[in-house]
Structures are given as structure tokens and as C-alpha cells.
Amino acid sequence: MKQYQITVLVGSLRHDSFNQRLAGAMAKLAPSDFSFKQTQIDDLPLYNQDDDARQAESVIRLKSDIKMAHGLLFVTPEYNRSIPGVLKNAIDHASRPYGQSAWMGKPAGVLGVSVGAIGTALAQQHLRNILAYLDVPTLGQPEAFIQAKDDLFGPDGAVGEGSKKFLQGWMDHYVAWVKKYGV
């Protein structure tokens, strides 16, 4: 049986992040032939094109994690109606230098959770626009704009019963997407 390695990028650095928790809970919904590894983005320097010729070790590690993956999972909060700067910084680093993007052709899923009623709808749309430019085939449906409520996660960190059916359906579509387009 083929094993699928998924690189996870979480756009939140907060210690008790809803999106960190969601990333972990979503991995529990995947089949056994999928493994999820969250890549570190909090140690990346701010992107500067002058550094393209000599990328930092943290950038090389990020690009390696992406290149080795069969698929990508982006789990992002929404900051000021867009994606967090730390996530955009990681995206920019892994797309450079020009012509050496690590993103190209990697199938992706996008979701996120927020306390707001529309979840992370606008951040996800901005992220999808960026990923389209980078030639990252992104799962279009179902969309998952998740509002953080008390029962979203169970005591064991898994998805709570009230959201489990919906998020399991999302994961099932994502798995099929990666199997169809995974490199």
C-alpha cells in the first residue's frame, strides 16, 4: 500500500491555537496510509530577495518538507481579513528563487477555524488566489469555514461529535484529491 506524506502548514504561532488543534484533529480523520507532518515556519527570516542565492537553513528545510510531500494541508486563521504574515512569508520563501518553487504541482487542501461566524472564509480565498498563481491544485469543494465553538474538539483533541460528520466528509474529499493529483 502506498503511503502518502502530507506537509501541514499552520498559519498560527499562538501556543493554544485553534488552528494548531484543528490540524491535529484533522490528521486523526485520515486513513492509515496518510501521515501528516507539520513543518516549522516560526524560525524563517523575513523574505528578502537578496538572500535567494544563499537561503537560510530554515528555508532549505521548509522547501525540503514541501518537495518530499505528496500533498499539502494549509490550516490558517484569519488576520485582518487575510492570511497571517508568517504564512505568507513561508509561501514566499518556498517559491523562490524564481523558477525553483517547491510548491508546483503539489495538491493542497485549505481550511481554518476562527471565533467569527464566517470562520476563515476570506483568508482561505486569499490563500487560494496565491496558490493558484503558484500552480498548486487546490481542493475546491467542500469548503470548510469553521467557527470555534466549545464542542469543536473533544477532550482527546479529536473533532467533536457535532462537527465530525462534516469534517470527515472534507477529509474524505481531500484524500481522494491527493490520490488523484499527488506527485
Side-chain angles (χ1 to χ4, degrees):
M1 173 188 302
K2 180 176 179 173
Q3 290 294 310
Y4 294 87
Q5 176 62 48
I6 305 301
T7 292
V8 181
L9 292 103
V10 178
S12 176
L13 303 180
R14 189 169 67 87
H15 175 69
D16 195 27
S17 163
F18 293 127
N19 287 281
Q20 293 279 358
R21 292 173 66 191
L22 180 61
M26 292 302 293
K28 293 177 182 181
L29 296 176
S32 62
D33 57 338
F34 273 64
S35 61
F36 293 77
K37 177 188 175 195
Q38 185 173 329
T39 192
Q40 185 176 354
I41 63 173
D42 65 347
D43 62 343
L44 299 172
L46 292 175
Y47 177 73
N48 180 341
Q49 189 175 4
D50 292 342
D51 298 331
D52 280 358
R54 288 176 298 162
Q55 294 179 317
E57 287 299 317
S58 56
V59 174
I60 292 167
R61 180 199 65 234
L62 169 68
K63 291 180 79 168
S64 176
D65 285 352
I66 295 164
K67 288 177 182 178
M68 290 176 31
H70 296 99
L72 307 167
L73 179 62
F74 290 87
V75 186
T76 186
E78 185 169 297
Y79 292 178
N80 299 316
R81 303 287 190 226
S82 191
I83 62 173
V86 68
L87 182 56
K88 180 63 165 78
N89 189 51
I91 292 168
D92 291 345
H93 271 298
S95 71
R96 303 299 290 187
Y98 184 80
Q100 296 178 32
S101 175
W103 303 112
M104 193 177 319
K106 298 286 181 176
V110 174
L111 50 91
V113 57
S114 172
V115 296
I118 62 170
T120 59
L122 296 173
Q124 288 187 44
Q125 187 56 50
H126 285 179
L127 181 54
R128 289 172 189 281
N129 290 344
I130 295 165
L131 296 177
Y133 172 76
L134 295 173
D135 194 25
V136 176
T138 306
L139 177 67
Q141 294 294 327
E143 294 174 309
F145 309 135
I146 305 162
Q147 184 178 19
K149 294 188 176 185
D150 290 338
D151 62 347
L152 179 58
F153 303 108
D156 62 351
V159 173
E161 287 305 315
S163 300
K164 191 170 186 174
K165 182 178 178 183
F166 172 73
L167 290 176
Q168 183 65 63
W170 188 95
M171 180 55 75
D172 294 346
H173 280 87
Y174 174 72
V175 164
W177 183 256
V178 170
K179 286 183 175 184
K180 183 175 181 179
Y181 293 103
V183 289

